[in-house]
Amino acid sequence: VTPYGTLTTLYSFTGGVDGANPYAALTLGNDGNFYGTTFGTTLVQGGGAGYGTASSLTANNGTVFQVTRGGTLTTLYSFTRGADGANPYAGLTLGNDGNFYGTTYGGGITNSTYLRGMGTVFKVTTNGALTTLVSFNSTNGTYPEAALTLGNDGNFYGTTSTYGGCNGIYGTLFQITTSGALTTLV
């Protein structure tokens, strides 16, 4: 939008392989393009790989995308609800290395109690190569909803919304390195 109120729509999500429900702000990359996430929740509202398929466990779990200033969108990664995670609420944080770092609300390690997983911290390159740095497992927190913050020390800082599988402990504050070493601070 211009200072005078002229709005230009750069891209409209279809809910297909491009994803749906971009809840978070965009992040400007070193290349001048914008990067973001879509949440992708259900077969009807979802988005990402497998859109429209019968399996909601491996499809429609959100995406990471790049969009140019001219409105050309490229889906860089589609989450599968496996070890890679699922359903990123938050946007991406640009690291000092030029890669993006983010969190997913679900996916990662699962067990019989938490079939959907408890969230992840991930790194993704501008070419879409995703690395899961940490899977939350209730001993280190569960269900991160917010974006990571890059500290002056080069590490990232974040929060989880619960801890210990919702046993009355209301979240954690953590530090994570670019190699995935996680320290629970509070």
Side-chain angles (χ1 to χ4, degrees):
V1 63
T2 68
Y4 304 105
T6 303
L7 176 73
T8 302
T9 300
L10 296 178
Y11 188 83
S12 294
F13 289 91
T14 65
V17 295
D18 60 346
N21 310 110
Y23 292 140
L26 297 174
T27 301
L28 180 62
N30 292 334
D31 58 3
N33 295 313
F34 294 101
Y35 293 81
T37 61
T38 64
F39 184 76
T41 55
T42 67
L43 293 174
V44 175
Q45 299 173 334
Y51 175 76
T53 65
S55 174
S56 63
L57 292 179
T58 59
N60 310 304
N61 294 301
T63 65
V64 174
F65 64 87
Q66 173 200 73
V67 64
T68 66
R69 293 176 189 266
T72 301
L73 186 130
T74 302
T75 300
L76 297 177
Y77 191 82
S78 292
F79 291 96
T80 65
R81 192 174 294 285
D84 61 342
N87 309 113
Y89 270 121
L92 302 168
T93 302
L94 180 63
N96 292 333
D97 58 3
N99 295 311
F100 294 93
Y101 294 80
T103 61
T104 64
Y105 182 76
I109 295 173
T110 61
N111 61 37
S112 60
T113 304
Y114 304 100
L115 294 175
R116 299 178 65 134
M118 294 173 261
T120 66
V121 175
F122 65 88
K123 172 178 78 172
V124 64
T125 67
T126 57
N127 294 326
L130 187 131
T131 303
T132 300
L133 298 176
V134 166
S135 289
F136 290 99
N137 60 20
S138 81
T139 61
N140 61 3
T142 55
Y143 309 119
E145 296 180 15
L148 299 170
T149 299
L150 179 62
N152 291 335
D153 59 2
N155 296 312
F156 292 92
Y157 294 83
T159 59
T160 63
S161 61
T162 59
Y163 172 79
C166 305
N167 291 334
I169 300 173
Y170 300 105
T172 64
L173 172 64
F174 64 86
Q175 174 196 66
I176 187 166
T177 66
T178 57
S179 61
L182 185 130
T183 302
T184 302
L185 301 174
V186 177

